């Protein structure tokens, strides 16, 4: 017996039925040539549709990564750790654990040549000697006579007699209780804000020292212009913050303050050529305040008061911080979160030119 399973065209061009051995099958189960063509067409359409859907899914996934601020850097992988050298390609920075393209702010920054194609900032002026932008300064007597500064100095005199006589805990409590303390710190014309990557330096025992050579070099070069103001100041406050949302905020802020005082300021004054005697006169002026996450900077306040005097661990990160501040609320969610954390992983170095009570 024969079982008909389909039709095909022979070499002579005539249609014929292909057969296999088996019981006969009713004509209603036979597949016509048109049915075969329809089946093949539907199969092809299904395959093409599957390929298109796969491509759409891949594109959508990559678009989502970009919108969330986690665009991969390309070759070499997209994961990274902040504060580590060469984890991202050149002109990239590490944000939220992924390498993203670094950004350049539109406004002129300290150190930019003048004139330049950047947008001038009212907080900067062109230094005729160096032909670069530097922060605009107010006269020192005006700073020392301002109501907020005068109130702060009076409070120190009342509690401690003088700044040199203030215990670290008294100064810390004074800073925490003062709701306008951060505003006060940026009132002084030579204040700088030194930013640190998340988790750096490590507070773990026997952790590798940080910053490494390249990042320390960038910090020190950026601090060099501050050395004369450190020498002339009556006191130097080193005020360390930590971002909220993590653990060990007090420990991180203290460790960062120690890095600034014990490594960066020492290296900057050495490079500036201070003698051992000059260096010895600076040490007693420095007062360290580790405030943990008790005080926080907002992006709006940062953009108005801190932006042009900030120092990050390299130029790409410094430019990216400033660019994200310029862009405002329209930045991706992960970039916004990273920015809020980074501007609070900060140590303020505040040279105070005013007399603080009886020195």
């Amino acid at each position: 017996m024969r079982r008909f399973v389909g039709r095909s065209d022979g070499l002579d061009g005539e249609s014929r039925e292909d057969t296999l051995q088996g019981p006969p099958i009713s004509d209603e189960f036979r597949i016509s040539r048109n049915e075969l063509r329809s089946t093949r067409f539907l199969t092809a359409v299904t395959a093409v549709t599957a390929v298109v859907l796969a491509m759409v899914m891949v594109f959508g996934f990559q678009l989502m990564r970009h919108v969330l601020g986690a665009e991969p850097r390309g070759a070499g992988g997209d994961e990274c750790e902040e504060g580590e050298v060469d984890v991202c390609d050149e002109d990239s920075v590490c944000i939220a654990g992924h390498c993203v393209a670094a950004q350049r702010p539109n406004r002129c920054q300290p150190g930019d040549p003048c004139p330049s194609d950047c947008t001038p900032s009212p907080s900067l002026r062109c230094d005729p000697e160096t032909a670069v932008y530097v922060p605009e300064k107010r006269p020192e007597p005006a700073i020392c006579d301002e109501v907020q500064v005068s109130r702060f100095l009076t409070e120190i005199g009342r509690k401690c007699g003088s700044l040199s006589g203030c215990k670290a805990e008294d100064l810390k409590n004074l800073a925490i209780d003062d709701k306008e303390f951060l505003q006060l710190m940026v009132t002084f014309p030579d204040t700088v804000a030194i930013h640190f990557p998340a988790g750096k330096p490590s507070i773990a025992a026997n952790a590798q020292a940080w910053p490494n050579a390249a990042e320390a070099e960038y910090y020190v070069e950026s601090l060099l212009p501050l050395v004369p103001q450190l020498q002339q100041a009556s006191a130097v406050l080193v005020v360390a913050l930590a971002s909220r949302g993590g653990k060990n905020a007090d420990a991180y802020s203290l460790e960062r303050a120690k890095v600034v005082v014990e490594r960066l300021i020492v290296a900057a004054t050495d490079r500036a050529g201070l003698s051992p005697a000059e260096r010895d006169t600076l040490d007693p002026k420095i007062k360290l305040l580790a405030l943990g996450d008790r005080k926080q900077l907002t992006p709006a306040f940062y953009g108005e008061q801190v932006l042009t005097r900030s120092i990050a661990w390299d130029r790409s990160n410094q430019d990216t911080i400033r660019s994200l501040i310029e862009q405002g609320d329209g930045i991706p969610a992960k970039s916004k979160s990273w920015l809020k954390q980074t501007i609070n992983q900060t140590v303020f170095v505040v040279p105070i030119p005013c007399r603080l009570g009886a020195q």
Side-chain angles (χ1 to χ4, degrees):
M1 289 185 285
R2 297 188 304 164
R3 178 164 62 88
F4 296 99
V5 296
R7 296 177 182 275
S8 63
D9 294 331
L11 296 176
D12 56 4
E14 295 184 359
S15 177
R16 67 187 181 196
E17 293 177 330
D18 295 323
T19 63
L20 290 174
Q21 296 298 320
I25 299 177
S26 172
D27 288 344
E28 63 180 306
F29 293 107
R30 292 177 181 175
I31 301 175
S32 69
R33 186 187 309 177
N34 288 336
E35 288 173 331
L36 274 175
R37 289 175 178 172
S38 297
T39 301
R40 290 168 181 167
F41 175 75
L42 290 174
T43 301
V45 169
T46 301
V48 171
T49 302
V51 171
V52 171
L53 285 175
M55 293 174 65
V56 169
M57 290 176 65
V58 171
F59 175 77
F61 176 72
Q62 295 297 332
L63 179 62
M64 182 179 296
R65 290 173 66 87
H66 177 72
V67 170
L68 293 177
E71 180 71 12
R73 62 174 177 163
D78 61 348
E79 293 186 354
C80 56
E81 180 181 347
E82 286 183 46
E84 295 299 323
V85 176
D86 298 331
V87 294
C88 296
D89 292 340
E90 189 177 358
D91 298 325
S92 296
V93 294
C94 185
I95 292 182
H98 292 83
C99 294
V100 302
Q103 302 184 42
R104 175 71 178 156
N106 294 319
R107 281 186 284 180
C108 300
Q109 307 299 321
D112 285 346
C114 50
S116 181
D117 57 358
C118 57
T119 303
S121 170
S123 62
L124 299 177
R125 62 180 176 85
C126 184
D127 185 346
E129 295 184 1
T130 60
V132 299
Y133 286 106
V134 296
E136 186 69 63
K137 295 183 180 180
R138 290 175 289 177
E140 290 182 3
I143 295 296
C144 298
D145 292 339
E146 286 191 4
V147 173
Q148 190 178 17
V149 174
S150 179
R151 176 177 57 80
F152 175 70
L153 302 181
T154 300
E155 188 66 13
I156 286 181
R158 186 180 68 81
K159 286 191 173 182
C160 308
S162 68
L163 182 59
S164 59
C166 258
K167 296 179 180 179
E169 194 64 26
D170 292 334
L171 274 176
K172 182 176 178 179
N173 291 334
L174 186 65
I176 293 171
D177 292 341
D178 190 341
K179 294 181 180 180
E180 303 297 325
F181 183 73
L182 294 183
Q183 176 65 60
L184 172 66
M185 293 298 97
V186 298
T187 297
F188 295 104
D190 297 309
T191 296
V192 298
I194 304 172
H195 299 308
F196 288 78
K200 296 291 190 298
S202 174
I203 59 174
N206 301 320
Q208 184 176 357
W210 195 95
N212 56 48
E215 289 154 343
E217 176 67 17
Y218 187 80
Y219 278 136
V220 171
E221 282 294 317
S222 301
L223 283 171
L224 272 178
L226 190 66
V227 173
Q229 283 68 44
L230 296 176
Q231 288 183 276
Q232 297 164 14
S234 298
V236 179
L237 296 186
V238 176
V239 182
L241 310 180
S243 59
R244 285 179 181 158
K247 299 179 180 179
N248 304 308
D250 286 348
Y252 274 115
S253 64
L254 177 60
E255 197 65 28
R256 288 164 183 155
K258 289 166 64 177
V259 165
V260 169
V261 173
E262 297 173 5
R263 290 189 58 188
L264 303 184
I265 290 179
V266 169
T269 54
D270 286 347
R271 186 167 302 181
L274 267 63
S275 67
E278 290 173 320
R279 184 69 186 82
D280 289 343
T281 62
L282 178 59
D283 289 341
K285 298 179 184 179
I286 297 175
K287 296 292 180 180
L288 191 155
L289 287 75
L291 303 183
D293 59 3
R294 296 172 184 83
K295 299 288 184 181
Q296 295 288 282
L297 298 166
T298 65
F301 177 86
Y302 183 94
E304 294 174 0
Q305 304 288 347
V306 186
L307 183 66
T308 58
R309 35 179 156 174
S310 59
I311 301 171
W313 51 100
D314 59 40
R315 182 60 188 257
S316 294
N317 277 281
Q318 186 163 303
D319 284 348
T320 298
I321 291 169
R322 293 171 175 175
S323 177
L324 293 176
I325 287 289
E326 284 183 3
Q327 295 175 55
D329 291 334
I331 60 178
K334 282 193 175 181
S335 294
K336 187 179 295 185
S337 176
W338 176 84
L339 177 65
K340 186 177 180 180
Q341 289 183 337
T342 304
I343 63 175
N344 284 293
Q345 291 156 190
T346 296
V347 176
F348 287 102
V349 179
V350 189
I352 300 178
C354 319
R355 289 186 58 82
L356 299 158
Q359 296 295 317

